[in-house]
Amino acid sequence: MSAHYTKMKEIPKTYSAKDHEDRIYKMWEQSGAFAPDLDPKKKPYSIMMPPPNATGTLHLGHATMLAIEDILIRFKRMQGFSALYLPGTDHAAIATQSVVEKKLQNEGMQNPRQELGRKKLLEEIRKFVDESKSTIRNQIRKMGTSCDWSRERYTFSDEMNTAVNELFRMMYEDGLIYRGGRIVNWDTKMQTTVADDELEYVEEKAPFYYFKYGPVVIGTARPETKFGDKVIVVHPKDKRYKNLIGKEFDVEWIEGKIRAKVIADECIDMDLGTGAMTITPAHSLIDFELSQKYALESPQIIDFDGKIRPEWSKACGGMDILAARKKVVEILEKKGLVDRIDENYVHNVSVNYRGKGVVEPQIMKQWFVDVNKAVIDWKKKKRSIKEVLQDTVRSKMIRIIPDRFEKIYFHWIDNLRDWCISRQIWWGHRIPVWHCTKCSNSFFSPTTVQKCKHCKAPNISQDPDTLDTWFSSQLWTFSTLGWPEKTPDLLRFTPSSVLETGYDILFFWVARMILGSTYALRKTGFPEEKSIPFKDVYLHGLIRDIHGKKMSKSRPETCIDPLDMIEKYGTDAIRLSLVIGGTPGNDMRLYEEKIAGYRNFVNKIWNGARFVMSSAEPSIKKGEDKINLKKLSRADKWILTRLNEIIEKVTDQIEDYELSDAGLTVYDFFWGEYCDWYVEMSKVTKNPAVLKHVLKTSLQLMHPFMPFVTETIYGDLCPGTMLITEDWPKPNPKWNFPSESDEMGRIMDLVSGIRVLRAESDVDATKKIHAIIFAHEDIALVLDKAEIIKRLANLGTLEIFENGEKIGKALTTFVGDIEIYLPLADLIDFEAEKKRLHKEIDDLAKYIQSLDHKLKNKKFLNNAPKEIIENERIKFTEGLKRLKKLQEQLEQVSK
């Protein structure tokens, strides 16, 4: 071979994802391509990966998050930003401790906490976490996630513990963190408190009981909590009870006579039940608030194991809730105090979203964050946490996408109560407060101390509780960058550019991060605009099955494991299927056939690349892959013009978070225009430089969505370069040819017109036929592209005239002023075709007549569901259209 030629690498016939993906990822990681370029001239762009559980495995929610984030980070990296994608894992306090405790119980241990003690149980959990971390890391890599592993963080590392303790100290000294008795959500199963926003509500049908309580009838679904009820509450304007308000009297009750009194409060709904209720302060938030308002006693009826305390009942003491409920009703029935029972009462039961344990309201000493105390310097005024949370979104400092979720956000923030941050578990950041039994004082210390800070006595112990997982997670966007130190990374990359997460944790995490970041960063000297955790919040929806239902383990056929799909179809196919069809905040359907369809697109890219490679065989002259404007055909000018338009469109769509539209745009262009049209045209007359340039640019546009197949091809197309580090394409104004592009559009419409005529007449697609074209003013254009028209329309002969008389016995269509005729003699057997058409017309006419009778039948119209009637009308209308088309075809073949 001459020294003037550079041979292009031959590409294999088929693409196997397994042969390339691990090798490509290793190449990227080892090259340092994932690390941000810290050139100060480059604008920063950062995403802090929402950390999956360190002991978890990749599920569809993770996969969707990773696909979307990686599209954004690859796009910005190619645009020339200093792009940081920081990975990490979460210690997931309650979930992880629960998993390890169950594991130990399965191995024969009855009560791991009692048998091991705090220190040894924590050692078991750490060991389990260390052994499990590699699993989720490798699965993140499998998704092609281009995150900077050198900056990986863990929410329970020593560095994170330092940051958590510092934030606690600041809030504690500001009087935001306090310890107090209040009604909290207690999970009797996991033996810990649960935040309000961690509750799920399960609809339940249960009896609603009406009991005679002295002179009134009260209603309740929970008679087992009523042992200590001594106060009746009614509305002050309720005429039924106006003579009872303020009275006291003895009533017969569960364990005998008790002294009861009546009070009035406007919180009572007169129309609910009998309009009278008794107060159970320790086991109802509303009742607790009433007890505080009127200085009432708050006795604990149910213990922390979910059982009736023995001192309240000889008959029910030690019973669990359901057994006690049954027993109480039995006792009251014997006393004649059951007025009636509604067996069809439907209400919501609170459960912990983590372990699904039923939540019992309990009054406990807990640690809280005060959300109403004004301590934050925010826009020239002291503001509370709640006010800052409202302002950041209302003032558009933080944008929620889609914006309809702002209403949900504000509903939650406007009704925000003090946040209970203590948990009665051992795995997690321990509360850095010490209590002295001698002087009864408490004090903050992040490290172990031997003496009381106040009285110097050694009688001290650290608070046994740990912090809510969300308390440490709220620091994620800035502690990962080095806070409380003002590191270069923190100064450069905060606030992060976007938080991508599921809309289901808008309350759990998104608002918490705004809380933690705005407080901590303002307190350490950052201006307001640098104190927010992120600029945009992109909320993806839930992934549902083919029928739009939630995937459920109880229906394993509906569940899709992303790792199984990667093994079967490759990462690129699963990434595309998780993005295309999905829009911010909306749920999306996913099924294996969809994934398989995008694997076909991967193959189409591969085959298109193979043609381009082979088009340059045996070689490409050095410099010949540069586009020569003087040697461009109409087809070349059309594809280059379209490429400019696609670059601009895809860029705008990604910038606007229209990722599904962007993916579809590049998909339709590459498959529908480049492969199906331009590559086919190139089989008639080819321009290798344009072929290669459009392929190369298409690979760049597709790379954020499909990183593996595009990188593999790019390495063969442009040896010695990595696509991940290439620049994002920009439109070239020199390659805009609107006139030639419009002309090629007419040629493609002409070919499509012939294809449609063939298809409607059921002509074998492989059969070469005869066509006659009267091109009129486009005569020069059609003559110039005659060979392309013949090839793409699969014509045997093509006659082109400027104009002429209408041709009989031919299929006819028009493209603008261009007339197209396909002589029927070359297409069909006239007698056989007439016979076929007559039969099809007769059959269709009978079908239309039966539909007409049905739609005139009053019984059918009155009784059938609306959607069925509408469906029948659609069938009738479509049948008429089809009949008209068949009659026109019969008329043509009969001439």
Side-chain angles (χ1 to χ4, degrees), residues 566-584:
I566 287 172
E567 179 71 18
K568 193 169 183 179
Y569 300 109
T571 300
D572 292 325
I574 187 76
R575 282 173 63 120
L576 265 187
S577 66
L578 288 169
V579 172
I580 293 182
T583 52

Side-chain angles (χ1 to χ4, degrees), residues 470-707:
W470 301 112
F471 188 90
S472 54
S473 296
Q474 70 177 325
L475 288 80
W476 186 247
T477 58
F478 58 98
S479 62
T480 51
L481 298 173
W483 188 90
E485 300 298 324
K486 287 189 176 180
T487 64
D489 274 2
L490 180 64
L491 295 171
R492 182 173 180 79
F493 291 110
T494 193
S496 54
S497 305
V498 60
L499 172 75
E500 199 290 331
T501 191
Y503 66 67
D504 52 331
I505 61 170
L506 176 63
F507 320 119
F508 294 149
W509 196 38
V510 175
R512 301 274 190 242
M513 283 196 286
I514 300 173
L515 184 163
S517 182
T518 51
Y519 173 80
L521 296 185
R522 279 300 287 141
K523 284 288 180 177
T524 46
F526 284 76
E528 284 94 343
E529 66 274 12
K530 290 284 284 180
S531 297
I532 56 175
F534 29 69
K535 298 171 185 174
D536 291 338
V537 178
Y538 179 105
L539 300 171
H540 69 250
L542 302 177
I543 306 297
R544 299 189 176 274
D545 68 13
I546 191 170
H547 304 296
K549 295 180 179 178
K550 189 175 180 179
M551 293 185 185
S552 170
K553 290 179 181 177
S554 64
R555 293 180 294 121
E557 71 278 4
T558 69
C559 295
I560 291 179
D561 185 333
L563 297 167
D564 290 344
M565 295 300 100
I566 287 172
E567 179 71 18
K568 193 169 183 179
Y569 300 109
T571 300
D572 292 325
I574 187 76
R575 282 173 63 120
L576 265 187
S577 66
L578 288 169
V579 172
I580 293 182
T583 52
N586 293 322
D587 295 347
M588 185 180 71
R589 300 183 185 194
L590 183 68
Y591 40 93
E592 191 165 347
E593 295 84 351
K594 181 180 179 182
I595 302 168
Y598 288 116
R599 190 267 314 272
N600 295 340
F601 181 47
V602 172
N603 292 337
K604 188 78 172 181
I605 296 171
W606 189 260
N607 292 332
R610 284 188 68 240
F611 174 77
V612 173
M613 303 289 197
S614 63
S615 76
E617 294 296 307
S619 59
I620 290 181
K621 286 183 180 178
K622 284 185 177 179
E624 195 174 294
D625 57 345
K626 301 290 184 184
I627 293 174
N628 188 335
L629 290 175
K630 296 179 181 179
K631 295 183 178 180
L632 297 179
S633 66
R634 280 192 179 90
D636 298 333
K637 291 178 179 179
W638 162 72
I639 197 67
L640 289 173
T641 302
R642 285 295 296 136
L643 183 63
N644 271 348
E645 293 167 353
I646 294 300
I647 291 169
E648 191 169 346
K649 186 175 183 180
V650 171
T651 303
D652 289 344
Q653 287 171 329
I654 299 178
E655 294 280 13
D656 293 336
Y657 296 108
E658 296 169 359
L659 304 185
S660 175
D661 291 345
L664 278 173
T665 297
V666 71
Y667 174 99
D668 291 341
F669 171 74
F670 189 81
W671 192 319
E673 296 183 67
Y674 180 67
C675 290
D676 286 356
W677 286 103
Y678 185 71
V679 168
E680 290 303 311
M681 292 174 190
S682 295
K683 293 173 183 177
V684 176
T685 173
K686 68 182 69 170
N687 186 328
V690 174
L691 267 172
K692 179 181 176 182
H693 174 78
V694 178
L695 173 62
K696 179 180 174 182
T697 306
S698 297
L699 292 172
Q700 291 166 348
L701 293 171
M702 291 186 287
H703 180 69
F705 299 89
M706 312 170 70

Side-chain angles (χ1 to χ4, degrees), residues 72 251 397-398 488 544 585 632 664:
L72 295 172
V251 299
M397 292 177 75
I398 295 174
R544 299 189 176 274
L632 297 179
L664 278 173

